[in-house]
Coordinates of all heavy atoms in Angstrom, one line a residue:
I550 N 90.0 107.3 84.5 CA 89.6 108.7 84.9 C 90.5 109.7 84.2 O 89.9 110.7 83.7 CB 89.8 108.8 86.5 CG1 88.8 108.0 87.2 CG2 89.7 110.3 86.9 CD1 89.0 107.9 88.7
A551 N 91.8 109.5 84.1 CA 92.6 110.4 83.3 C 92.3 110.4 81.9 O 92.3 111.5 81.2 CB 94.1 109.9 83.5
R552 N 91.9 109.3 81.3 CA 91.5 109.2 79.9 C 90.3 110.2 79.6 O 90.2 110.6 78.4 CB 91.2 107.8 79.5 CG 91.2 107.6 78.0 CD 91.3 106.1 77.7 NE 90.1 105.4 78.2 CZ 88.9 105.4 77.5 NH1 88.8 106.0 76.3 NH2 87.9 104.7 78.0
H553 N 89.5 110.4 80.5 CA 88.4 111.3 80.4 C 88.7 112.7 80.7 O 87.8 113.6 80.8 CB 87.2 110.8 81.2 CG 86.5 109.6 80.6 ND1 87.0 108.4 80.6 CD2 85.3 109.6 79.9 CE1 86.1 107.5 80.0 NE2 85.1 108.3 79.6
G554 N 90.0 113.0 81.0 CA 90.4 114.4 81.2 C 90.3 114.9 82.6 O 90.5 116.1 82.8
Y555 N 90.1 114.1 83.6 CA 90.0 114.6 85.0 C 91.3 114.6 85.6 O 92.2 113.8 85.4 CB 89.0 113.6 85.8 CG 87.6 113.7 85.4 CD1 87.0 112.8 84.5 CD2 86.8 114.8 85.9 CE1 85.7 112.9 84.2 CE2 85.4 114.9 85.6 CZ 84.9 113.9 84.7 OH 83.6 114.0 84.4
H556 N 91.4 115.6 86.6 CA 92.7 115.7 87.4 C 92.4 115.7 88.9 O 93.3 116.0 89.7 CB 93.4 117.0 87.0 CG 94.1 116.9 85.6 ND1 95.2 116.1 85.4 CD2 93.7 117.3 84.4 CE1 95.6 116.2 84.1 NE2 94.7 116.9 83.5
I557 N 91.2 115.3 89.2 CA 90.8 115.1 90.6 C 89.9 113.9 90.7 O 89.0 113.8 89.9 CB 90.0 116.3 91.3 CG1 90.8 117.6 91.1 CG2 89.8 116.1 92.7 CD1 90.0 118.8 91.6
S558 N 90.1 113.0 91.7 CA 89.2 111.9 91.9 C 88.9 111.9 93.4 O 89.7 112.3 94.3 CB 89.8 110.6 91.5 OG 91.0 110.3 92.2
I559 N 87.7 111.4 93.7 CA 87.2 111.3 95.1 C 87.0 109.8 95.4 O 86.4 109.1 94.7 CB 86.0 112.1 95.4 CG1 86.3 113.6 95.5 CG2 85.2 111.7 96.6 CD1 85.2 114.5 95.8
S560 N 87.5 109.4 96.6 CA 87.4 108.0 97.0 C 86.9 107.9 98.4 O 86.9 108.8 99.2 CB 88.7 107.3 96.9 OG 89.6 107.7 97.8
G561 N 86.4 106.7 98.8 CA 85.8 106.4 100.1 C 86.8 105.9 101.1 O 86.4 105.3 102.1
T562 N 88.1 106.2 100.9 CA 89.1 105.7 101.8 C 88.8 106.1 103.3 O 88.4 107.2 103.6 CB 90.5 106.3 101.4 OG1 90.8 105.9 100.1 CG2 91.6 105.9 102.4
A563 N 89.0 105.1 104.2 CA 88.9 105.3 105.6 C 87.5 105.2 106.2 O 87.4 105.2 107.5 CB 89.5 106.6 106.1
A564 N 86.5 104.9 105.4 CA 85.2 104.8 106.0 C 85.1 103.5 106.9 O 84.5 103.5 107.9 CB 84.1 104.7 104.9
D565 N 85.8 102.4 106.5 CA 85.8 101.2 107.3 C 86.4 101.4 108.6 O 85.9 100.9 109.6 CB 86.5 100.1 106.5 CG 85.7 99.5 105.4 OD1 84.5 99.3 105.5 OD2 86.3 99.2 104.3
E566 N 87.5 102.2 108.6 CA 88.2 102.4 109.9 C 87.5 103.5 110.8 O 87.7 103.5 112.0 CB 89.6 102.9 109.6 CG 90.5 101.9 108.9 CD 90.3 101.9 107.4 OE1 89.4 102.5 106.8 OE2 91.2 101.2 106.7
M567 N 86.6 104.3 110.1 CA 85.9 105.3 110.9 C 84.6 104.8 111.5 O 84.2 105.2 112.6 CB 85.6 106.5 110.0 CG 86.8 107.2 109.4 SD 87.3 108.6 110.5 CE 86.2 109.8 110.1
F568 N 84.0 103.9 110.8 CA 82.6 103.5 111.1 C 82.4 102.0 111.4 O 81.3 101.5 111.6 CB 81.6 103.9 110.0 CG 81.4 105.4 109.9 CD1 82.1 106.1 109.0 CD2 80.6 106.0 110.8 CE1 82.0 107.5 108.9 CE2 80.4 107.4 110.7 CZ 81.1 108.1 109.7
S569 N 83.5 101.2 111.5 CA 83.5 99.8 111.8 C 83.1 98.9 110.6 O 81.9 98.5 110.6 CB 82.7 99.5 113.0 OG 81.3 99.5 112.8
G570 N 84.0 98.7 109.7 CA 83.6 98.0 108.5 C 84.2 96.7 108.2 O 83.9 96.0 107.2
Y571 N 85.1 96.2 109.1 CA 85.8 95.0 108.9 C 85.2 93.8 109.7 O 84.6 94.0 110.7 CB 87.3 95.1 109.2 CG 88.0 96.1 108.3 CD1 88.7 97.2 108.9 CD2 87.9 96.0 106.9 CE1 89.4 98.1 108.1 CE2 88.6 96.9 106.1 CZ 89.3 98.0 106.7 OH 89.9 98.9 105.9
F572 N 85.5 92.6 109.3 CA 84.9 91.4 109.9 C 85.4 91.3 111.4 O 84.6 90.9 112.2 CB 85.3 90.2 109.1 CG 84.5 90.0 107.9 CD1 85.1 89.7 106.7 CD2 83.1 90.3 107.8 CE1 84.4 89.5 105.5 CE2 82.4 90.1 106.6 CZ 83.0 89.8 105.5
D573 N 86.7 91.6 111.6 CA 87.1 91.5 113.0 C 86.4 92.5 113.9 O 86.4 92.3 115.1 CB 88.6 91.5 113.1 CG 89.2 92.8 112.7 OD1 88.6 93.5 111.9 OD2 90.3 93.1 113.2
H574 N 86.0 93.6 113.3 CA 85.3 94.6 114.1 C 84.0 94.0 114.8 O 83.7 94.4 115.9 CB 84.8 95.8 113.3 CG 86.0 96.6 112.8 ND1 85.9 97.7 111.9 CD2 87.3 96.6 113.1 CE1 87.0 98.2 111.7 NE2 87.9 97.6 112.4
Q575 N 83.4 93.1 114.1 CA 82.2 92.5 114.7 C 82.5 91.7 115.9 O 81.8 91.8 116.9 CB 81.6 91.5 113.6 CG 81.1 92.2 112.4 CD 79.6 92.5 112.4 OE1 78.9 92.1 113.4 NE2 79.1 93.1 111.4
L576 N 83.6 91.0 115.9 CA 84.0 90.2 117.1 C 84.5 91.1 118.2 O 84.3 90.8 119.4 CB 85.1 89.1 116.7 CG 84.6 88.2 115.6 CD1 85.7 87.1 115.5 CD2 83.3 87.5 115.9
L577 N 85.2 92.1 117.9 CA 85.7 93.1 118.9 C 84.5 93.8 119.5 O 84.5 94.1 120.7 CB 86.6 94.1 118.2 CG 88.0 93.6 117.7 CD1 88.6 94.5 116.7 CD2 89.0 93.4 118.9
Y578 N 83.5 94.0 118.7 CA 82.3 94.6 119.3 C 81.6 93.7 120.3 O 81.2 94.1 121.3 CB 81.3 94.9 118.1 CG 79.9 95.4 118.5 CD1 79.7 96.7 118.8 CD2 78.8 94.5 118.6 CE1 78.4 97.1 119.2 CE2 77.6 94.9 118.9 CZ 77.4 96.2 119.2 OH 76.1 96.7 119.6
L579 N 81.6 92.4 120.0 CA 81.0 91.4 120.9 C 81.8 91.4 122.2 O 81.1 91.3 123.3 CB 81.1 90.0 120.3 CG 80.2 89.8 119.0 CD1 80.4 88.4 118.5 CD2 78.7 90.1 119.3
H580 N 83.1 91.6 122.2 CA 83.8 91.7 123.4 C 83.4 93.0 124.2 O 83.2 92.9 125.4 CB 85.3 91.9 123.1 CG 86.2 92.3 124.3 ND1 86.3 93.6 124.6 CD2 86.8 91.6 125.3 CE1 87.1 93.7 125.7 NE2 87.4 92.5 126.1
D581 N 83.2 94.1 123.5 CA 82.9 95.4 124.2 C 81.5 95.4 124.8 O 81.3 96.3 125.6 CB 83.2 96.5 123.2 CG 84.7 96.8 123.0 OD1 85.5 96.2 123.7 OD2 85.0 97.6 122.1
V582 N 80.6 94.6 124.3 CA 79.2 94.6 124.8 C 79.0 93.3 125.7 O 77.8 93.0 126.0 CB 78.2 94.7 123.7 CG1 78.4 96.0 122.9 CG2 78.2 93.5 122.8
K583 N 80.0 92.6 126.1 CA 79.9 91.4 126.8 C 79.2 91.5 128.1 O 78.7 90.6 128.7 CB 81.2 90.7 126.9 CG 82.2 91.3 127.8 CD 83.5 90.6 127.8 CE 84.5 91.2 128.9 NZ 84.9 92.5 128.6
N584 N 79.3 92.7 128.7 CA 78.7 92.9 130.0 C 77.2 93.1 130.0 O 76.6 93.3 131.1 CB 79.4 94.1 130.8 CG 80.8 93.7 131.1 OD1 81.2 92.6 131.4 ND2 81.7 94.8 131.1
N585 N 76.7 93.2 128.8 CA 75.2 93.2 128.6 C 74.7 91.9 128.0 O 74.7 91.8 126.8 CB 74.8 94.4 127.7 CG 73.3 94.6 127.6 OD1 72.5 93.7 127.8 ND2 72.9 95.8 127.2
P586 N 74.4 90.9 128.9 CA 74.2 89.5 128.4 C 73.1 89.4 127.4 O 73.2 88.7 126.4 CB 73.9 88.8 129.7 CG 74.5 89.6 130.8 CD 74.4 91.0 130.3
I587 N 72.0 90.2 127.5 CA 70.9 90.1 126.6 C 71.3 90.6 125.2 O 71.1 90.0 124.2 CB 69.7 90.8 127.1 CG1 69.2 90.2 128.4 CG2 68.6 90.9 126.1 CD1 68.0 90.9 129.1
H588 N 72.0 91.8 125.2 CA 72.4 92.4 124.0 C 73.5 91.5 123.3 O 73.5 91.3 122.1 CB 73.0 93.8 124.2 CG 73.4 94.5 123.0 ND1 72.5 94.9 122.0 CD2 74.6 94.9 122.6 CE1 73.1 95.5 121.1 NE2 74.4 95.5 121.4
L589 N 74.4 90.9 124.1 CA 75.4 90.1 123.6 C 74.8 88.9 122.9 O 75.2 88.5 121.8 CB 76.4 89.6 124.7 CG 77.5 88.6 124.4 CD1 78.4 89.2 123.3 CD2 78.2 88.2 125.6
E590 N 73.9 88.2 123.6 CA 73.3 87.0 123.0 C 72.6 87.4 121.6 O 72.7 86.6 120.6 CB 72.2 86.5 123.9 CG 71.6 85.2 123.5 CD 70.6 84.6 124.4 OE1 70.4 85.2 125.5 OE2 70.0 83.6 124.1
K591 N 71.9 88.5 121.6 CA 71.2 88.9 120.3 C 72.3 89.2 119.3 O 72.1 88.8 118.1 CB 70.3 90.1 120.6 CG 69.6 90.6 119.4 CD 68.7 91.7 119.8 CE 67.9 92.2 118.5 NZ 67.0 93.4 118.8
S592 N 73.4 89.9 119.7 CA 74.4 90.3 118.7 C 75.1 89.0 118.1 O 75.4 89.0 117.0 CB 75.4 91.2 119.4 OG 74.8 92.4 119.8
I593 N 75.3 88.0 119.0 CA 76.0 86.8 118.5 C 75.1 86.1 117.5 O 75.5 85.6 116.5 CB 76.3 85.9 119.7 CG1 77.5 86.5 120.5 CG2 76.7 84.5 119.2 CD1 77.9 85.7 121.7
A594 N 73.8 86.1 117.8 CA 72.8 85.4 116.9 C 72.8 86.2 115.5 O 72.8 85.5 114.5 CB 71.4 85.4 117.5
N595 N 72.9 87.5 115.6 CA 72.9 88.3 114.3 C 74.2 87.9 113.6 O 74.2 87.8 112.3 CB 72.9 89.8 114.6 CG 71.5 90.2 115.1 OD1 70.5 89.6 114.8 ND2 71.5 91.3 115.9
W596 N 75.3 87.9 114.3 CA 76.6 87.6 113.7 C 76.6 86.2 113.0 O 77.0 86.0 111.9 CB 77.7 87.6 114.7 CG 79.1 87.3 114.2 CD1 79.9 88.2 113.5 CD2 79.7 86.0 114.2 NE1 81.1 87.5 113.2 CE2 81.0 86.2 113.6 CE3 79.4 84.8 114.8 CZ2 81.9 85.2 113.5 CZ3 80.3 83.8 114.6 CH2 81.5 83.9 114.0
Q597 N 76.1 85.2 113.7 CA 76.0 83.8 113.2 C 75.2 83.8 111.9 O 75.5 83.1 111.0 CB 75.4 82.9 114.3 CG 76.2 82.7 115.5 CD 77.3 81.7 115.3 OE1 77.6 81.2 114.2 NE2 78.0 81.3 116.3
R598 N 74.1 84.5 111.9 CA 73.2 84.5 110.8 C 73.7 85.3 109.5 O 73.6 84.7 108.4 CB 71.8 85.2 111.2 CG 70.8 85.2 110.1 CD 69.6 86.1 110.5 NE 70.1 87.5 110.6 CZ 69.6 88.4 111.5 NH1 68.8 88.0 112.4 NH2 70.0 89.7 111.4
D599 N 74.3 86.4 109.8 CA 74.6 87.3 108.6 C 76.1 87.5 108.3 O 76.4 87.8 107.2 CB 74.1 88.7 108.9 CG 72.5 88.7 109.1 OD1 71.9 88.0 108.3 OD2 72.0 89.4 110.0
V600 N 77.0 87.3 109.3 CA 78.4 87.6 109.1 C 79.2 86.4 108.9 O 80.0 86.3 108.0 CB 78.9 88.5 110.2 CG1 80.4 88.9 110.0 CG2 78.1 89.8 110.4
R601 N 79.0 85.4 109.8 CA 79.8 84.2 109.8 C 79.9 83.5 108.5 O 81.0 83.1 108.1 CB 79.3 83.2 110.9 CG 79.9 81.8 110.9 CD 81.4 81.9 111.2 NE 82.0 80.5 111.2 CZ 82.4 79.9 110.0 NH1 82.3 80.6 108.9 NH2 82.9 78.7 110.1
P602 N 78.9 83.4 107.7 CA 79.0 82.8 106.4 C 79.9 83.5 105.4 O 80.4 82.8 104.4 CB 77.5 82.8 105.8 CG 76.7 82.9 107.0 CD 77.5 83.8 108.0
M603 N 80.2 84.8 105.6 CA 81.1 85.5 104.7 C 82.6 85.5 105.2 O 83.5 85.9 104.4 CB 80.6 87.0 104.6 CG 79.3 87.1 104.0 SD 78.9 88.9 103.7 CE 78.5 89.4 105.4
V604 N 82.9 85.0 106.4 CA 84.2 85.2 106.9 C 85.1 84.0 106.5 O 84.7 82.8 106.7 CB 84.2 85.2 108.5 CG1 85.6 85.2 109.0 CG2 83.4 86.4 109.0
R605 N 86.2 84.3 105.8 CA 87.1 83.3 105.4 C 88.3 83.1 106.3 O 89.0 82.0 106.3 CB 87.6 83.6 103.9 CG 86.4 83.5 102.9 CD 87.0 83.5 101.5 NE 87.6 84.7 101.1 CZ 86.9 85.7 100.5 NH1 85.6 85.6 100.3 NH2 87.5 86.8 100.2
N606 N 88.7 84.1 107.0 CA 89.8 84.0 107.9 C 89.5 83.0 109.1 O 88.5 83.3 109.8 CB 90.1 85.4 108.5 CG 91.4 85.4 109.3 OD1 91.8 84.5 110.0 ND2 92.2 86.5 109.1
P607 N 90.2 81.9 109.2 CA 89.8 80.9 110.2 C 89.9 81.4 111.6 O 89.3 80.8 112.5 CB 90.9 79.8 109.9 CG 92.0 80.4 109.2 CD 91.4 81.5 108.4
L608 N 90.7 82.4 111.9 CA 90.8 82.9 113.2 C 89.7 83.8 113.6 O 89.6 84.3 114.8 CB 92.2 83.6 113.4 CG 93.4 82.8 113.1 CD1 94.7 83.6 113.3 CD2 93.5 81.5 113.9
L609 N 88.8 84.1 112.7 CA 87.7 85.0 113.0 C 86.3 84.3 112.8 O 85.3 85.0 112.6 CB 87.7 86.2 112.0 CG 89.0 87.1 112.1 CD1 88.9 88.2 111.1 CD2 89.1 87.7 113.5
Q610 N 86.3 83.0 113.1 CA 85.1 82.2 112.9 C 84.5 81.8 114.2 O 83.6 81.0 114.2 CB 85.4 81.0 112.0 CG 85.8 81.5 110.6 CD 86.1 80.3 109.6 OE1 86.2 79.2 110.0 NE2 86.3 80.7 108.4
D611 N 85.0 82.3 115.3 CA 84.5 82.0 116.6 C 84.0 83.3 117.2 O 84.7 84.3 117.4 CB 85.6 81.5 117.5 CG 85.2 81.2 118.9 OD1 84.0 81.4 119.2 OD2 86.0 80.8 119.8
A612 N 82.7 83.4 117.5 CA 82.1 84.6 118.0 C 82.7 85.0 119.3 O 82.7 86.2 119.7 CB 80.6 84.4 118.2
H613 N 83.3 84.1 120.1 CA 83.8 84.4 121.4 C 85.3 84.6 121.4 O 86.0 84.7 122.4 CB 83.5 83.2 122.4 CG 82.0 83.1 122.6 ND1 81.2 82.4 121.8 CD2 81.2 83.6 123.6 CE1 80.0 82.4 122.3 NE2 80.0 83.1 123.4
A614 N 85.9 84.7 120.2 CA 87.4 84.8 120.1 C 88.0 85.9 121.0 O 88.9 85.6 121.7 CB 87.8 85.0 118.6
F615 N 87.5 87.1 120.9 CA 88.1 88.2 121.7 C 87.5 88.2 123.1 O 88.1 88.8 124.0 CB 87.8 89.5 121.0 CG 88.6 89.7 119.7 CD1 88.0 89.6 118.5 CD2 90.0 89.9 119.7 CE1 88.7 89.7 117.3 CE2 90.7 90.0 118.5 CZ 90.0 89.9 117.3
I616 N 86.4 87.6 123.3 CA 85.9 87.5 124.7 C 86.8 86.6 125.5 O 87.1 86.8 126.6 CB 84.4 87.0 124.7 CG1 83.5 88.0 124.0 CG2 84.0 86.7 126.1 CD1 82.1 87.5 123.8
K617 N 87.2 85.5 124.8 CA 88.2 84.6 125.5 C 89.6 85.2 125.7 O 90.2 85.0 126.7 CB 88.3 83.3 124.6 CG 87.0 82.5 124.5 CD 87.3 81.3 123.5 CE 86.0 80.5 123.2 NZ 86.2 79.5 122.1
D618 N 90.0 85.9 124.6 CA 91.4 86.5 124.7 C 91.3 87.8 123.9 O 91.4 87.8 122.7 CB 92.4 85.5 124.1 CG 93.8 86.1 124.2 OD1 94.0 87.2 124.7 OD2 94.7 85.4 123.8
P619 N 91.2 88.9 124.7 CA 91.1 90.3 124.0 C 92.4 90.6 123.2 O 92.4 91.6 122.4 CB 91.0 91.2 125.2 CG 90.5 90.4 126.3 CD 91.1 89.0 126.1
F620 N 93.5 89.9 123.5 CA 94.8 90.4 122.9 C 95.2 89.5 121.7 O 96.3 89.8 121.2 CB 95.9 90.4 124.0 CG 95.5 91.2 125.2 CD1 95.1 90.7 126.4 CD2 95.5 92.6 125.1 CE1 94.7 91.5 127.4 CE2 95.2 93.4 126.1 CZ 94.8 92.8 127.3
I621 N 94.4 88.6 121.3 CA 94.9 87.8 120.1 C 94.8 88.8 118.8 O 93.9 89.5 118.6 CB 94.0 86.6 119.8 CG1 92.5 87.0 119.7 CG2 94.2 85.5 120.9 CD1 91.6 85.8 119.2

Side-chain angles (χ1 to χ4, degrees):
I550 290 172
R552 196 167 63 83
H553 282 76
Y555 289 98
H556 288 283
I557 306 175
S558 63
I559 282 183
S560 69
T562 298
D565 284 320
E566 295 85 347
M567 296 271 281
F568 292 98
S569 75
Y571 296 127
F572 287 134
D573 64 334
H574 290 174
Q575 296 265 356
L576 302 187
L577 293 158
Y578 174 82
L579 295 177
H580 168 275
D581 285 350
V582 300
K583 69 181 186 297
N584 292 330
N585 185 335
I587 295 174
H588 183 66
L589 175 63
E590 183 180 358
K591 183 179 179 181
S592 297
I593 290 175
N595 291 334
W596 179 84
Q597 293 280 9
R598 181 192 68 215
D599 298 319
V600 182
R601 171 65 182 82
M603 294 186 287
V604 177
R605 294 195 290 272
N606 189 318
L608 302 180
L609 298 178
Q610 294 176 355
D611 177 6
H613 295 84
F615 292 105
I616 296 174
K617 295 173 184 174
D618 183 355
F620 302 106
I621 58 168

